[in-house]
């Protein structure tokens, strides 16, 4: 209560005494106290009948919903890395039935996010929209009807989009309790990669002991997840494609035979080692292989007769097209989390970037420089880091300008050479024409 409320209360008390002594006198209403602008002021109980009847001026409201703010990465349009911008949103998200609010700690970056930025992923709503399919954090609020989650629970979250922000509101069915000992980085790296790999290997691939598996992009998030899951089955041979510089790492992670897809024909390499081929893999024409690992837009054409004769099949899987309410996801997640508890799987974190550095994170994945999962942290960059980042950006701009200038200079030289060649050809044509004319003249002279 403000100091301005006290005189009014004293006046009200005196009026009460006068009312007892002079019941027949007409009572004078108390003057209303001035009201300070405060967020959500508690209802004031009237001290007297007069105070209760006196209308008070409307107080300016500043509820938590209006003062609450959080940061979010927003895809503002399709195109380059600069299309994903960090923005501040105001207003506390409202909880509906069955929902929880999670204070996000870490987010996962997936190749689908890169495709979405370029407008090539139809599961993401149109811009402006916040990307991100997975995150980890702490539950900050729950709807009244939620009984299986509580404030303070550490959870990992899987959703179709909207995870790249400080705070997210999702259905409780999209959250999964983090096991003891799991870091927020590991939790953010788990959902998309490991559920995708698990469902492909065991639900669709029916992986069994003594089989062989080919994993494309074995150094990526899904590739490493698939390799670790393969090693949970006895005597499984793993073929993995990756650039030569990554072979040592993927070999240590469980790949039996690493193959450099840039210099080797992986079909021939597999045939040399395993004439029967690899399990859950279709060998048709050159490069027409279907592997139990995620490959983006891998094209293959095979004849139905070849499939039948080889007792083989082709199937496709995309986590983004799986109904979020299906029992497959929680079942797969439960199995994956249990394997983590047993120490049989562990996400490999390649690098961690601040939300402010999302462009650099995307570039690293686009250039296939990562070995393992790239993580985004919601922890704001420190001022020193921002200054350092600004210096790097400035240096990069200078380097890019030098490269552009060099390309322009080379183009000018190439164009100049082309012009010279054109001129030379013109001169040659003129010479040929002149020679032809001279020959004609000589022929005429001889005839005469």
């Amino acid at each position: 209560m403000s100091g301005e409320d006290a005189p009014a209360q004293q006046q009200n008390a005196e009026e009460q005494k006068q009312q007892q002594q002079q019941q027949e006198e007409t009572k004078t209403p108390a003057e209303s106290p001035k009201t300070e602008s405060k967020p959500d002021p508690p209802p004031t109980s009237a001290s007297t009948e007069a105070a209760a009847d006196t209308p008070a001026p409307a107080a300016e409201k500043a509820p938590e919903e209006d003062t609450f703010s959080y940061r979010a990465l927003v895809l503002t349009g399709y195109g380059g890395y600069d299309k994903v911008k960090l923005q501040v949103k105001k207003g506390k998200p409202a909880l509906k039935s069955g929902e929880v609010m999670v204070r996000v700690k870490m987010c996962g970056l997936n190749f689908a996010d890169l495709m979405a930025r370029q407008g090539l992923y139809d599961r993401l709503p149109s811009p402006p929209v916040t990307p991100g399919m997975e995150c980890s954090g702490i539950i900050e609020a729950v709807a009244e009807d939620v009984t299986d989650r509580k404030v303070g629970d550490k959870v990992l979250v899987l959703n179709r989009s909207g995870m790249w922000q400080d705070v997210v509101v999702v259905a409780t069915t999209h959250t999964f309790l983090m096991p003891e000992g799991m870091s927020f980085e590991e939790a953010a790296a788990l959902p998309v990669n490991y559920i995708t790999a698990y469902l492909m290997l065991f639900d669709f691939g029916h992986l069994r002991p003594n089989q062989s598996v080919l994993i494309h992009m074995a150094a990526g998030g899904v590739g490493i997840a698939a390799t670790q899951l393969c090693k949970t089955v006895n005597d499984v041979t793993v073929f993995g494609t990756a650039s030569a510089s990554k072979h040592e790492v993927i070999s240590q992670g469980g790949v039996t035979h690493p193959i450099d897809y840039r210099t080797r024909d992986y079909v021939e390499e597999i045939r040399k080692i395993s004439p029967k081929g690899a399990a859950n893999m279709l060998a048709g024409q050159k490069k027409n292989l279907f592997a139990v690992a995620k490959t983006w837009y891998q094209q293959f054409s095979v004849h139905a007769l070849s499939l039948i004769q080889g007792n083989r099949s082709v199937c496709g899987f995309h986590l983004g097209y799986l109904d979020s309410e299906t029992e497959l996801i929680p079942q797969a997640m439960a199995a994956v989390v249990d394997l983590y508890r047993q120490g049989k799987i562990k996400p490999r974190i390649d690098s961690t970037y601040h939300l402010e550095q999302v462009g650099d994170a995307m570039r690293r994945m686009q250039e296939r420089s990562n070995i393992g999962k790239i993580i985004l942290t919601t922890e704001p960059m420190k001022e020193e880091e921002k200054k350092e980042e600004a210096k790097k950006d400035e240096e990069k701009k200078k380097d890019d300008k030098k490269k552009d200038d060099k390309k322009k200079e080379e183009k000018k030289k190439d164009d100049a050479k082309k012009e010279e060649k054109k001129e030379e050809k013109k001169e040659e044509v003129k010479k040929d024409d002149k020679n032809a004319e001279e020959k004609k003249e000589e022929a005429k002279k001889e005839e005469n």
Side-chain angles (χ1 to χ4, degrees):
M1 180 177 296
S2 68
E4 293 175 295
D5 295 331
Q9 278 195 331
Q10 291 174 358
Q11 182 179 352
N12 293 336
E14 291 174 1
E15 288 179 352
Q16 283 183 329
K17 292 180 180 179
Q18 291 175 2
Q19 287 171 2
Q20 293 175 0
Q21 296 174 357
Q22 302 174 354
Q23 296 181 359
E24 302 298 326
E25 291 184 6
T26 304
K27 111 187 128 185
T28 303
E31 183 181 353
S32 300
K34 294 180 181 178
T35 306
E36 294 181 350
S37 296
K38 295 181 181 179
D40 293 335
T44 304
S45 58
S47 57
T48 64
E49 219 178 292
D53 294 337
T54 304
E60 291 182 10
K61 292 185 178 180
E64 185 182 2
E65 286 75 6
D66 293 336
T67 59
F68 190 96
S69 65
Y70 58 98
R71 301 175 311 148
L73 285 171
V74 178
L75 178 65
T76 58
Y78 300 128
Y81 302 117
D82 60 336
K83 294 297 182 181
V84 183
K85 301 182 184 299
L86 185 60
Q87 299 180 356
V88 175
K89 294 186 176 183
K90 294 183 178 180
K92 189 173 184 179
L95 291 178
K96 297 178 183 177
S97 175
E99 290 184 335
V100 297
M101 184 170 74
V102 179
R103 175 65 62 172
V104 178
K105 296 293 185 180
M106 302 287 170
C107 313
L109 175 64
N110 294 286
F111 203 84
D113 299 315
L114 274 63
M115 296 173 64
R117 194 198 71 237
Q118 300 171 72
L120 302 175
Y121 186 69
D122 63 355
R123 306 308 289 168
L124 185 73
S126 300
V129 62
T130 294
M133 301 169 64
E134 60 191 345
C135 72
S136 62
I138 301 173
I139 291 182
E140 205 167 75
V142 299
E144 291 182 1
D145 60 342
V146 172
T147 58
D148 56 345
R149 296 287 184 270
K150 66 182 184 300
V151 173
D153 281 346
K154 296 180 179 180
V155 294
L156 43 91
V157 185
L158 177 64
N159 207 51
R160 186 159 290 171
S161 63
M163 299 293 98
W164 288 359
Q165 49 191 12
D166 290 334
V167 173
V168 298
V169 172
V170 294
T172 183
T173 53
H174 290 203
T175 67
F176 306 89
L177 294 175
M178 288 171 52
E180 191 71 27
M182 177 179 281
S183 68
F184 286 114
E185 289 90 344
E186 291 174 335
L190 201 75
V192 172
N193 291 168
Y194 281 82
I195 289 181
T196 298
Y198 185 91
L199 291 175
M200 284 193 297
L201 284 168
F202 300 113
D203 280 67
F204 296 95
H206 301 290
L207 184 62
R208 298 291 183 270
N210 301 309
Q211 289 186 328
S212 298
V213 177
L214 168 64
I215 299 175
H216 289 278
M217 297 187 291
V222 173
I224 288 177
T227 302
Q228 292 181 2
L229 290 169
C230 282
K231 304 314 289 184
T232 64
V233 180
N234 293 331
D235 302 320
V236 170
T237 301
V238 179
F239 295 89
T241 66
S243 55
S245 62
K246 301 176 181 179
H247 282 189
E248 182 178 354
V249 174
I250 64 174
S251 295
Q252 292 173 353
V255 172
T256 317
H257 302 289
I259 302 170
D260 186 355
Y261 64 92
R262 294 176 178 175
T263 60
R264 301 275 184 173
D265 182 339
Y266 56 79
V267 179
E268 295 303 322
E269 291 298 311
I270 291 173
R271 283 174 177 167
K272 288 178 187 176
I273 300 169
S274 178
K276 292 182 180 180
N280 300 307
M281 181 181 71
L282 174 64
Q285 296 178 358
K286 185 177 180 180
K287 301 294 183 188
N288 291 336
L289 294 179
F290 178 80
V292 193
K294 182 174 66 174
T295 55
W296 293 99
Y297 294 120
Q298 183 182 2
Q299 297 180 356
F300 50 85
S301 57
V302 294
H303 298 290
L305 182 60
S306 299
L307 295 176
I308 294 171
Q309 291 174 341
N311 289 322
R312 296 185 175 96
S313 64
V314 176
C315 69
F317 173 74
H318 193 304
L319 184 62
Y321 286 86
L322 196 62
D323 183 359
S324 61
E325 301 303 323
T326 181
E327 292 182 358
L328 280 177
I329 290 180
Q331 288 174 356
M333 181 62 79
V336 166
V337 169
D338 188 51
L339 289 171
Y340 177 89
R341 286 196 185 97
Q342 297 176 41
K344 294 183 177 180
I345 63 171
K346 184 178 179 65
R348 178 188 173 90
I349 308 301
D350 171 80
S351 50
T352 302
Y353 292 83
H354 293 278
L355 295 182
E356 295 92 333
Q357 301 171 305
V358 64
D360 294 333
M362 285 186 157
R363 186 179 290 106
R364 181 170 178 80
M365 179 174 283
Q366 191 85 54
E367 295 174 353
R368 298 186 180 183
S369 301
N370 61 300
I371 303 179
K373 189 74 171 184
I374 296 177
I375 296 295
L376 299 174
T377 175
T378 58
E379 181 183 352
M381 290 183 69
K382 297 178 181 178
E383 287 303 319
E384 293 180 1
E385 292 177 329
K386 287 182 180 179
K387 290 178 181 178
E388 190 65 30
E389 192 70 17
K391 286 182 182 178
K392 289 181 181 178
D393 289 342
E394 193 63 31
E395 290 174 1
K396 188 177 182 305
K397 286 179 182 178
K398 290 180 180 179
D399 291 339
D400 290 343
K401 189 177 183 303
K402 286 180 181 179
K403 289 178 182 178
D404 290 339
D405 291 342
K406 188 177 180 181
K407 285 181 181 178
K408 289 177 182 177
E409 191 63 32
E410 290 176 351
K411 188 176 184 301
K412 284 182 181 179
K413 290 180 180 179
D414 290 339
D415 291 342
K417 287 180 181 179
K418 288 178 182 178
E419 287 297 324
E420 287 178 8
K421 287 181 179 180
K422 285 181 181 179
E423 291 298 324
E424 289 175 358
K425 285 183 179 179
K426 286 180 181 179
E427 289 297 324
E428 288 177 1
V429 171
K430 286 180 181 179
K431 286 180 181 180
D432 291 341
D433 291 342
K434 187 177 180 181
N435 291 335
E437 288 295 329
E438 289 176 354
K439 286 181 180 180
K440 285 181 181 179
E441 289 295 329
E442 289 175 2
K444 284 180 182 181
K445 288 178 182 180
E446 289 176 1
E447 287 177 359
N448 294 334

